Amino acid sequence: MAVLLETSKGDVVIDLLCEEAPVAAKNFLKLCKIKYYNNCLFHDVQKNFIVQTGDPTGTGKGGESIYGILYGDQARYFEDEIKRDSKHKKVGTVGMANAGENLNASQFYITCSENLDSLDGKHTIFGEVAEGMDVVTRINETFCDDKGRPWQNVRIKHTIVLEDPFDDPPNLDDHIPPESPKLVRSADDDRLEDDWQPEEDTRPQEEIDKSVRTNEARSRAVVLEMIGDLPDAEARPEENLIFVCKLNPVTTEEDLEIIFSRFGKVTSCDVVKDWKTGESLCYAFIGFETNAAAEQAYFKMDNVLIDDRRIHVDFYQSMHHQWRMYKRTGKFDPKQKEVAAAVASSSGTARHPGTSGTEGGQRMLEGAIGHALSLHPGAGIRGAGVLLATGVAAPGRLIEIEGNAEGGGTTGTAETIGTGRARGPLGEDTPRTIGDRGEAPVQAAGGEGCTGHFSSLLP
């Protein structure tokens, strides 16, 4: 008189008390025989009290006895078989969970503690755990929600009748399935099975490895963003920028722009310089309008001789420009690459037909590294002038150029933030003559926290 329950936590053997509770024991044996308990959830786990199962609906409100299955709803429940000496003294006592007095159906419980006096005289005891109490303990220790439902489904997977002293009722064979019923999960059941295992990945090993590397890289990027080493986990170096190193110190940005413009429009060209001395550090960043132009420059210009130095060209891998934008705006939008490129390393032309064309250059230069060209085709007292500036600019008035169109010479005054020099064609008023051009050193006039090289070309 015993039954083996195969659960998702392990096997439990229950010895039945057929003499003390023959109706309940027979009901339990025949329900096991027709596989009624297969796939039933342990729907109520009250730690150190009881674990309850036997309801096919998994709600605690369903289930019917073998008599109800055979004879209809009028026989759904059967009466209690409570004895005076039947006590819940031992761990592993098996009893009927009823809906009230004499309302026993299919649900049963297993006790997880000793001396549960509150259950005495209310429930029919029909068995006890003979083997597998460690399995019951594991079910008892399952994590549950506030209603006692385990967060992972624990089920009775199979029931095997080891010994049955009772004869089968008529028509019982009609209810015995040819094979064990398959698990059918309800649509609202969103919890994993306790013995769930991930399905075997059928993708090619190459694809699996690539996916793993991608996920690991993503995880590392998130960590770097959290500790402040990246402006955003989605930040990527611009593909239209290249890195050029091993330059000759005499190589200027203008030289590089002329040389690399054969591959396409150059949008930025920055030779990195020492912030104290202003001398070239022999490497530069060059930006192109298209990715294709950057690729061509990468393939064609590596190991090329420029100013007696063989340069090395590689793709840009720095987050410098993204950080610049992040510090200005407080956020990074990977979809706005053009905006990021314009703010971080800008090159543009502003045309202003007013009396002072330097305002356009000022707006272009504030907070940017790169080139800004302001053309002012002025008329009358203020002549044509071109402002070409490279370096780090600060807010404020940068350069004001005044020109007098009368006579063959030009008179120019320049105010700069940083250090610079003014050049112009030879005129009678030029301070010094070298060949056919004149040079006029210009001293810095104010300018806080700004470094770089500014040149003004006065026609």
Side-chain angles (χ1 to χ4, degrees), residues 31-68:
L31 287 176
C32 289
K33 197 166 187 177
I34 67 172
K35 308 299 181 184
Y36 187 82
Y37 290 126
N38 282 35
N39 302 316
C40 281
L41 285 169
F42 281 86
H43 61 269
D44 188 10
V45 176
Q46 302 179 42
K47 191 171 184 179
N48 298 328
F49 186 58
I50 63 169
V51 295
Q52 185 174 331
T53 183
D55 177 12
T57 67
T59 62
K61 300 178 181 179
E64 57 184 327
S65 67
I66 189 65
Y67 311 109

Side-chain angles (χ1 to χ4, degrees), residues 18-166:
C18 296
E19 295 182 2
E20 290 82 351
V23 178
K26 183 179 180 180
N27 174 71
F28 185 73
L29 281 166
K30 302 311 175 184
L31 287 176
C32 289
K33 197 166 187 177
I34 67 172
K35 308 299 181 184
Y36 187 82
Y37 290 126
N38 282 35
N39 302 316
C40 281
L41 285 169
F42 281 86
H43 61 269
D44 188 10
V45 176
Q46 302 179 42
K47 191 171 184 179
N48 298 328
F49 186 58
I50 63 169
V51 295
Q52 185 174 331
T53 183
D55 177 12
T57 67
T59 62
K61 300 178 181 179
E64 57 184 327
S65 67
I66 189 65
Y67 311 109
I69 293 173
L70 293 174
Y71 309 121
D73 288 342
Q74 72 279 4
R76 178 182 180 183
Y77 301 107
F78 61 89
E79 296 182 353
D80 295 328
E81 296 175 287
I82 299 174
K83 310 295 182 184
R84 282 189 178 182
D85 57 346
S86 296
K87 304 293 182 182
H88 295 79
K89 293 182 178 180
K90 297 191 298 184
V91 176
T93 300
V94 183
M96 293 301 300
N98 54 38
E101 188 176 355
N102 298 321
L103 295 176
N104 302 288
S106 64
Q107 295 187 43
F108 65 95
Y109 60 83
I110 303 173
T111 61
C112 300
S113 291
E114 299 176 344
N115 300 318
L116 300 179
D117 300 337
S118 61
L119 300 176
D120 293 343
K122 300 177 183 177
H123 299 274
T124 300
I125 297 174
F126 68 92
E128 58 186 26
V129 175
E131 297 177 25
M133 196 59 216
D134 58 325
V135 176
V136 176
T137 301
R138 286 199 293 273
I139 299 173
N140 175 56
E141 294 173 350
T142 302
F143 291 104
C144 303
D145 59 18
D146 54 358
K147 296 181 180 179
R149 167 81 184 274
W151 287 109
Q152 283 187 298
N153 292 333
V154 183
R155 298 181 185 271
I156 297 174
K157 302 182 76 174
H158 300 286
T159 56
I160 301 173
V161 177
L162 302 178
E163 187 178 352
D164 182 5
F166 302 105

